[in-house]
PDB file of all heavy atoms in Angstrom:
ATOM      1  N   ARG O 271       3.178  -8.137 -19.164  1.00  0.00           N
ATOM      2  CA  ARG O 271       1.765  -7.803 -18.904  1.00  0.00           C
ATOM      3  C   ARG O 271       0.901  -8.888 -19.325  1.00  0.00           C
ATOM      4  O   ARG O 271      -0.043  -9.301 -18.584  1.00  0.00           O
ATOM      5  CB  ARG O 271       1.468  -6.619 -19.774  1.00  0.00           C
ATOM      6  CG  ARG O 271       0.019  -6.187 -19.619  1.00  0.00           C
ATOM      7  CD  ARG O 271      -0.519  -5.203 -20.644  1.00  0.00           C
ATOM      8  NE  ARG O 271      -0.467  -5.837 -21.970  1.00  0.00           N
ATOM      9  CZ  ARG O 271      -0.654  -5.103 -23.115  1.00  0.00           C
ATOM     10  NH1 ARG O 271      -0.844  -3.879 -23.210  1.00  0.00           N
ATOM     11  NH2 ARG O 271      -0.647  -5.873 -24.327  1.00  0.00           N
ATOM     12  N   GLU O 272       1.041  -9.529 -20.416  1.00  0.00           N
ATOM     13  CA  GLU O 272       0.222 -10.745 -20.841  1.00  0.00           C
ATOM     14  C   GLU O 272       0.546 -11.973 -19.894  1.00  0.00           C
ATOM     15  O   GLU O 272      -0.372 -12.670 -19.627  1.00  0.00           O
ATOM     16  CB  GLU O 272       0.430 -11.189 -22.282  1.00  0.00           C
ATOM     17  CG  GLU O 272       0.091  -9.998 -23.266  1.00  0.00           C
ATOM     18  CD  GLU O 272      -1.354  -9.481 -23.006  1.00  0.00           C
ATOM     19  OE1 GLU O 272      -2.200 -10.339 -22.943  1.00  0.00           O
ATOM     20  OE2 GLU O 272      -1.589  -8.372 -22.845  1.00  0.00           O
ATOM     21  N   VAL O 274       1.179 -11.705 -16.811  1.00  0.00           N
ATOM     22  CA  VAL O 274       0.377 -11.470 -15.491  1.00  0.00           C
ATOM     23  C   VAL O 274      -1.050 -11.648 -15.736  1.00  0.00           C
ATOM     24  O   VAL O 274      -1.801 -11.989 -14.900  1.00  0.00           O
ATOM     25  CB  VAL O 274       0.721 -10.066 -14.916  1.00  0.00           C
ATOM     26  CG1 VAL O 274      -0.174  -9.585 -13.803  1.00  0.00           C
ATOM     27  CG2 VAL O 274       2.211  -9.810 -14.678  1.00  0.00           C
ATOM     28  N   ARG O 275      -1.465 -11.205 -16.946  1.00  0.00           N
ATOM     29  CA  ARG O 275      -2.960 -11.408 -17.146  1.00  0.00           C
ATOM     30  C   ARG O 275      -3.378 -12.829 -17.037  1.00  0.00           C
ATOM     31  O   ARG O 275      -4.299 -13.250 -16.625  1.00  0.00           O
ATOM     32  CB  ARG O 275      -3.278 -10.834 -18.619  1.00  0.00           C
ATOM     33  CG  ARG O 275      -4.799 -10.614 -18.955  1.00  0.00           C
ATOM     34  CD  ARG O 275      -4.975 -10.604 -20.409  1.00  0.00           C
ATOM     35  NE  ARG O 275      -4.362  -9.394 -20.999  1.00  0.00           N
ATOM     36  CZ  ARG O 275      -4.923  -8.233 -20.970  1.00  0.00           C
ATOM     37  NH1 ARG O 275      -6.136  -7.992 -20.494  1.00  0.00           N
ATOM     38  NH2 ARG O 275      -4.357  -7.144 -21.476  1.00  0.00           N
ATOM     39  N   ILE O 337      -9.151  -2.735 -14.749  1.00  0.00           N
ATOM     40  CA  ILE O 337      -7.719  -2.377 -15.023  1.00  0.00           C
ATOM     41  C   ILE O 337      -7.333  -3.328 -16.200  1.00  0.00           C
ATOM     42  O   ILE O 337      -6.648  -2.762 -17.076  1.00  0.00           O
ATOM     43  CB  ILE O 337      -6.772  -2.529 -13.899  1.00  0.00           C
ATOM     44  CG1 ILE O 337      -7.191  -1.486 -12.802  1.00  0.00           C
ATOM     45  CG2 ILE O 337      -5.397  -2.547 -14.308  1.00  0.00           C
ATOM     46  CD1 ILE O 337      -6.349  -1.488 -11.521  1.00  0.00           C
ATOM     47  N   MET O 338      -7.739  -4.541 -16.192  1.00  0.00           N
ATOM     48  CA  MET O 338      -7.352  -5.390 -17.412  1.00  0.00           C
ATOM     49  C   MET O 338      -8.310  -5.469 -18.579  1.00  0.00           C
ATOM     50  O   MET O 338      -8.050  -6.213 -19.463  1.00  0.00           O
ATOM     51  CB  MET O 338      -7.197  -6.786 -16.729  1.00  0.00           C
ATOM     52  CG  MET O 338      -6.108  -6.948 -15.705  1.00  0.00           C
ATOM     53  SD  MET O 338      -5.756  -8.692 -15.212  1.00  0.00           S
ATOM     54  CE  MET O 338      -4.641  -8.407 -13.799  1.00  0.00           C
ATOM     55  N   GLY O 339      -9.201  -4.436 -18.531  1.00  0.00           N
ATOM     56  CA  GLY O 339     -10.089  -4.283 -19.602  1.00  0.00           C
ATOM     57  C   GLY O 339     -11.227  -5.203 -19.888  1.00  0.00           C
ATOM     58  O   GLY O 339     -11.631  -5.232 -21.038  1.00  0.00           O
ATOM     59  N   THR O 682      -1.838  -8.428  -5.583  1.00  0.00           N
ATOM     60  CA  THR O 682      -0.527  -8.985  -6.250  1.00  0.00           C
ATOM     61  C   THR O 682      -0.604  -8.909  -7.682  1.00  0.00           C
ATOM     62  O   THR O 682       0.416  -8.345  -8.317  1.00  0.00           O
ATOM     63  CB  THR O 682      -0.262 -10.318  -5.639  1.00  0.00           C
ATOM     64  OG1 THR O 682      -0.450 -10.422  -4.231  1.00  0.00           O
ATOM     65  CG2 THR O 682       1.040 -10.888  -6.211  1.00  0.00           C
ATOM     66  N   CYS O 683      -1.560  -9.520  -8.394  1.00  0.00           N
ATOM     67  CA  CYS O 683      -1.711  -9.509  -9.786  1.00  0.00           C
ATOM     68  C   CYS O 683      -1.958  -7.969 -10.211  1.00  0.00           C
ATOM     69  O   CYS O 683      -1.428  -7.578 -11.293  1.00  0.00           O
ATOM     70  CB  CYS O 683      -2.934 -10.318 -10.167  1.00  0.00           C
ATOM     71  SG  CYS O 683      -2.529 -12.003  -9.953  1.00  0.00           S
ATOM     72  N   LYS O 684      -2.621  -7.152  -9.487  1.00  0.00           N
ATOM     73  CA  LYS O 684      -2.985  -5.793  -9.949  1.00  0.00           C
ATOM     74  C   LYS O 684      -1.655  -4.894 -10.074  1.00  0.00           C
ATOM     75  O   LYS O 684      -1.514  -4.297 -11.075  1.00  0.00           O
ATOM     76  CB  LYS O 684      -3.986  -5.166  -9.062  1.00  0.00           C
ATOM     77  CG  LYS O 684      -4.307  -3.641  -9.426  1.00  0.00           C
ATOM     78  CD  LYS O 684      -5.256  -3.199  -8.365  1.00  0.00           C
ATOM     79  CE  LYS O 684      -6.616  -3.792  -8.473  1.00  0.00           C
ATOM     80  NZ  LYS O 684      -7.425  -3.631  -7.300  1.00  0.00           N
ATOM     81  N   TYR O 685      -0.846  -5.039  -9.042  1.00  0.00           N
ATOM     82  CA  TYR O 685       0.373  -4.121  -8.954  1.00  0.00           C
ATOM     83  C   TYR O 685       1.369  -4.743  -9.926  1.00  0.00           C
ATOM     84  O   TYR O 685       2.044  -3.763 -10.610  1.00  0.00           O
ATOM     85  CB  TYR O 685       0.933  -4.141  -7.728  1.00  0.00           C
ATOM     86  CG  TYR O 685       0.124  -3.238  -6.619  1.00  0.00           C
ATOM     87  CD1 TYR O 685      -0.309  -3.622  -5.471  1.00  0.00           C
ATOM     88  CD2 TYR O 685       0.025  -1.822  -7.081  1.00  0.00           C
ATOM     89  CE1 TYR O 685      -1.012  -2.912  -4.604  1.00  0.00           C
ATOM     90  CE2 TYR O 685      -0.691  -1.004  -6.090  1.00  0.00           C
ATOM     91  CZ  TYR O 685      -1.271  -1.489  -4.973  1.00  0.00           C
ATOM     92  OH  TYR O 685      -1.882  -0.749  -4.064  1.00  0.00           O
ATOM     93  N   LEU O 686       1.442  -6.022 -10.196  1.00  0.00           N
ATOM     94  CA  LEU O 686       2.386  -6.490 -11.200  1.00  0.00           C
ATOM     95  C   LEU O 686       1.809  -6.080 -12.698  1.00  0.00           C
ATOM     96  O   LEU O 686       2.629  -5.556 -13.502  1.00  0.00           O
ATOM     97  CB  LEU O 686       2.384  -8.039 -11.156  1.00  0.00           C
ATOM     98  CG  LEU O 686       3.239  -8.590  -9.917  1.00  0.00           C
ATOM     99  CD1 LEU O 686       3.123 -10.077  -9.758  1.00  0.00           C
ATOM    100  CD2 LEU O 686       4.622  -8.107  -9.930  1.00  0.00           C
ATOM    101  N   TYR O 687       0.540  -6.126 -12.874  1.00  0.00           N
ATOM    102  CA  TYR O 687       0.075  -5.637 -14.056  1.00  0.00           C
ATOM    103  C   TYR O 687       0.333  -4.208 -14.360  1.00  0.00           C
ATOM    104  O   TYR O 687       0.721  -3.805 -15.459  1.00  0.00           O
ATOM    105  CB  TYR O 687      -1.521  -5.963 -14.114  1.00  0.00           C
ATOM    106  CG  TYR O 687      -2.096  -5.650 -15.543  1.00  0.00           C
ATOM    107  CD1 TYR O 687      -2.174  -6.666 -16.477  1.00  0.00           C
ATOM    108  CD2 TYR O 687      -2.701  -4.458 -15.902  1.00  0.00           C
ATOM    109  CE1 TYR O 687      -2.810  -6.416 -17.757  1.00  0.00           C
ATOM    110  CE2 TYR O 687      -3.255  -4.281 -17.121  1.00  0.00           C
ATOM    111  CZ  TYR O 687      -3.204  -5.232 -17.983  1.00  0.00           C
ATOM    112  OH  TYR O 687      -3.857  -5.046 -19.192  1.00  0.00           O
ATOM    113  N   LEU O 688       0.045  -3.280 -13.397  1.00  0.00           N
ATOM    114  CA  LEU O 688       0.300  -1.939 -13.406  1.00  0.00           C
ATOM    115  C   LEU O 688       1.762  -1.603 -13.614  1.00  0.00           C
ATOM    116  O   LEU O 688       2.040  -0.535 -14.313  1.00  0.00           O
ATOM    117  CB  LEU O 688      -0.304  -1.227 -12.244  1.00  0.00           C
ATOM    118  CG  LEU O 688      -1.758  -1.117 -12.124  1.00  0.00           C
ATOM    119  CD1 LEU O 688      -2.233  -0.693 -10.682  1.00  0.00           C
ATOM    120  CD2 LEU O 688      -2.335  -0.206 -13.231  1.00  0.00           C
ATOM    121  N   LEU O 689       2.612  -2.482 -13.190  1.00  0.00           N
ATOM    122  CA  LEU O 689       4.046  -2.212 -13.335  1.00  0.00           C
ATOM    123  C   LEU O 689       4.459  -2.254 -14.772  1.00  0.00           C
ATOM    124  O   LEU O 689       5.205  -1.455 -15.198  1.00  0.00           O
ATOM    125  CB  LEU O 689       4.842  -3.300 -12.714  1.00  0.00           C
ATOM    126  CG  LEU O 689       6.417  -3.351 -12.808  1.00  0.00           C
ATOM    127  CD1 LEU O 689       6.984  -2.065 -12.354  1.00  0.00           C
ATOM    128  CD2 LEU O 689       6.985  -4.539 -12.096  1.00  0.00           C
ATOM    129  N   PHE O 690       3.791  -3.244 -15.593  1.00  0.00           N
ATOM    130  CA  PHE O 690       4.051  -3.449 -16.970  1.00  0.00           C
ATOM    131  C   PHE O 690       3.159  -2.649 -17.928  1.00  0.00           C
ATOM    132  O   PHE O 690       3.526  -2.340 -19.078  1.00  0.00           O
ATOM    133  CB  PHE O 690       4.007  -4.924 -17.242  1.00  0.00           C
ATOM    134  CG  PHE O 690       4.894  -5.693 -16.405  1.00  0.00           C
ATOM    135  CD1 PHE O 690       4.379  -6.746 -15.611  1.00  0.00           C
ATOM    136  CD2 PHE O 690       6.249  -5.491 -16.293  1.00  0.00           C
ATOM    137  CE1 PHE O 690       5.264  -7.539 -14.840  1.00  0.00           C
ATOM    138  CE2 PHE O 690       7.125  -6.285 -15.548  1.00  0.00           C
ATOM    139  CZ  PHE O 690       6.556  -7.278 -14.792  1.00  0.00           C
ATOM    140  N   ASP O 691       2.133  -2.196 -17.331  1.00  0.00           N
ATOM    141  CA  ASP O 691       1.081  -1.306 -18.076  1.00  0.00           C
ATOM    142  C   ASP O 691       0.313  -0.505 -17.228  1.00  0.00           C
ATOM    143  O   ASP O 691      -0.692  -0.852 -16.581  1.00  0.00           O
ATOM    144  CB  ASP O 691       0.153  -2.329 -18.891  1.00  0.00           C
ATOM    145  CG  ASP O 691      -0.903  -1.570 -19.787  1.00  0.00           C
ATOM    146  OD1 ASP O 691      -0.852  -0.392 -19.804  1.00  0.00           O
ATOM    147  OD2 ASP O 691      -1.633  -2.243 -20.628  1.00  0.00           O
ATOM    148  N   ASP O 692       0.754   0.742 -17.212  1.00  0.00           N
ATOM    149  CA  ASP O 692       0.170   1.709 -16.424  1.00  0.00           C
ATOM    150  C   ASP O 692      -0.900   2.656 -16.984  1.00  0.00           C
ATOM    151  O   ASP O 692      -1.129   3.722 -16.517  1.00  0.00           O
ATOM    152  CB  ASP O 692       1.214   2.592 -15.571  1.00  0.00           C
ATOM    153  CG  ASP O 692       1.990   3.446 -16.774  1.00  0.00           C
ATOM    154  OD1 ASP O 692       1.597   3.355 -17.910  1.00  0.00           O
ATOM    155  OD2 ASP O 692       3.027   4.014 -16.362  1.00  0.00           O
ATOM    156  N   SER O 693      -1.412   2.302 -18.087  1.00  0.00           N
ATOM    157  CA  SER O 693      -2.344   3.084 -18.831  1.00  0.00           C
ATOM    158  C   SER O 693      -3.609   3.410 -18.025  1.00  0.00           C
ATOM    159  O   SER O 693      -4.326   4.420 -18.120  1.00  0.00           O
ATOM    160  CB  SER O 693      -2.896   2.303 -20.172  1.00  0.00           C
ATOM    161  OG  SER O 693      -3.397   1.000 -19.790  1.00  0.00           O
TER     162      SER O 693
END
Side-chain angles (χ1 to χ4, degrees):
R271 178 194 67 188
E272 294 310 306
V274 175
R275 190 196 302 273
I337 288 172
M338 296 188 190
T682 309
C683 290
K684 178 182 291 161
Y685 284 122
L686 288 170
Y687 187 91
L688 288 171
L689 172 65
F690 304 120
D691 182 352
D692 60 1
S693 56

